[in-house]
Amino acid sequence: MPSPTRRTVLALGALTGALLVSGCTEDHRDPDRGRPDPDLPLRRRAVAATDALLASYDAVLAGPGTDRADTLHDLRADVEEHRAALAAGLPSAVPSGSAPASGSATPSGPAAVPAAASVAASVAELAAAERRTAAARLADLEAASPDLARLLAAVAASGALHARALGDSGPVTAPAPAPSTGTTASGSASASATASGPVTAQASPQTSASGAASSRPAPLPSGATGALQAALAAEHAAVYGYGVVGARTATGPQRDSARAGYTAHQARRDALQRLLEDAGSTPTAAAAGYRLPFAVTDADGGGRLAAHIEIQLTAVWVDAVAATTGALRQTAATALRETALRAAQWGADLSALPGLPGTGASDGASTTAGASASPST
């Protein structure tokens, strides 16, 4: 890992975005289009799944001899926040904190809370339920509006954090994208990607008068391009920041974690550069220098910087979820989840909705909220 060779600094500020607090008209129709809100069934399904988790938390907490009651109560409080955010705008939603009894259906959707036999009876079962539910959130990303997709991705990232905190380190597997070419209904270009691997733009074949397919790349919509360029700029800064972390850390587990973070952000940076180039855009270049949010003189400061970097990146990637669709949206959700997990590994106290504005997290750094990434001059 290269050490910094000059005084350069990093300040990854959380990008602002509007937290979804949407409502519905009295007849639950979109006033602009005069038809039912397509997010309603997705919200109902998400609320039902959240009620099932709440029932599982209650069952485990009521069980004999649990020695993790404080942790379980804290995680359950996060799930309550998830439910409140997901139920916003639902007609006749069950009030937060009133999860139906086992086996009863929630009034806000067709899905039912699991029968008693399906409710988690142990911490290990609860951890697995958190991981499965997080994966299920991702299945609805493509059909969701940008704001709901942002929320679902944040809730899925939180679920992955819960599963890890409870001892389940299995992968949260996103559904494989359906093969397609061209643009989706909302105008975003399709892409081929794995849950954790590189992303590449998939050009839409264009047939010329002679019948030959053009090799010209399909451009990304402007919203997606802007969000991905912002993510690339943040990943450039993260690569530099992890160079600082590694330079201040002695050989051992913390340095190994720093090297792993450095490598992961290099891979994300390189994948974004290829994606933008393949789509015909000029990737954002790294700045000559970056402003650190605080002085880093030892391993403790390096750990705080790593946590700070990851927390700020959650805001970048949650916005990328909203700006993209299809495989690109899944890739952005994966990046959000991975950066949240790394933030927790570095000791950050993440909010119930990682990356969303108005939901703070503590990384031990004294920084100004909302500051933008600023190259040094």
Side-chain angles (χ1 to χ4, degrees):
M1 180 183 309
S3 300
T5 58
R6 62 182 181 279
R7 179 180 177 83
T8 54
V9 281
L10 170 76
L12 282 171
L15 299 183
T16 56
L19 175 61
L20 176 62
V21 203
S22 62
C24 296
T25 59
E26 183 62 26
D27 67 350
H28 319 306
R29 290 176 178 269
D30 184 329
D32 296 326
R33 297 180 181 272
R35 65 179 183 226
D37 181 353
D39 278 346
L40 287 182
L42 306 182
R43 285 182 175 274
R44 287 171 178 146
R45 183 157 56 244
V47 168
T50 307
D51 284 338
L53 274 181
L54 289 170
S56 289
Y57 272 96
D58 291 340
V60 174
L61 283 165
T66 178
D67 58 356
R68 306 189 65 181
D70 289 345
T71 297
L72 291 171
H73 280 296
D74 288 344
L75 299 183
R76 190 189 188 283
D78 283 353
V79 179
E80 286 279 10
E81 288 192 45
H82 299 166
R83 192 190 192 286
L86 290 164
L90 275 181
S92 305
V94 179
S96 179
S98 59
S102 297
S104 65
T106 170
S108 61
V113 175
S118 300
V119 172
S122 68
V123 170
E125 290 178 7
L126 179 58
E130 280 276 22
R131 178 169 54 83
R132 289 193 302 270
T133 305
R137 312 289 190 194
L138 303 178
D140 282 336
L141 283 185
E142 174 60 14
S145 68
D147 279 340
L148 181 56
R150 177 191 280 119
L151 177 59
L152 288 171
V155 172
S158 184
L161 288 166
H162 289 183
R164 186 70 59 88
L166 294 172
D168 189 326
S169 58
V172 177
T173 306
S180 64
T181 58
T183 58
T184 65
S186 60
S188 287
S190 299
S192 59
T194 62
S196 60
V199 290
T200 55
Q202 181 173 326
S204 174
Q206 298 178 354
T207 305
S208 65
S210 61
S214 170
S215 60
R216 188 175 172 186
L220 296 167
S222 59
T225 299
L228 294 174
Q229 293 280 23
L232 175 56
E235 292 292 352
H236 278 309
V239 169
Y240 175 77
Y242 266 96
V244 175
V245 174
R248 302 293 186 268
T249 305
T251 301
Q254 184 171 336
R255 187 174 178 84
D256 292 341
S257 294
R259 187 176 298 278
Y262 181 84
T263 301
H265 288 296
Q266 271 190 322
R268 283 282 174 208
R269 177 201 64 190
D270 295 346
L272 283 167
Q273 287 176 325
R274 288 193 299 270
L275 168 64
L276 290 162
E277 287 171 351
D278 289 348
S281 297
T282 301
T284 297
Y290 298 92
R291 185 173 315 238
L292 289 175
F294 46 82
V296 179
T297 59
D298 55 18
D300 287 344
R304 290 172 60 223
L305 177 60
H308 178 83
I309 289 168
E310 300 295 355
I311 286 173
Q312 305 311 315
L313 277 169
T314 61
V316 174
W317 281 111
V318 84
D319 280 350
V321 169
T324 54
T325 62
L328 286 179
R329 179 172 278 181
Q330 291 291 346
T331 298
T334 296
L336 168 63
R337 184 170 64 255
E338 290 176 350
T339 199
L341 288 168
R342 277 192 296 270
Q345 181 183 5
W346 286 106
D349 183 13
L350 287 156
S351 72
L353 297 169
L356 291 184
T359 57
S362 173
D363 59 5
S366 141
T367 58
T368 303
S372 301
S374 56
S376 63
T377 56

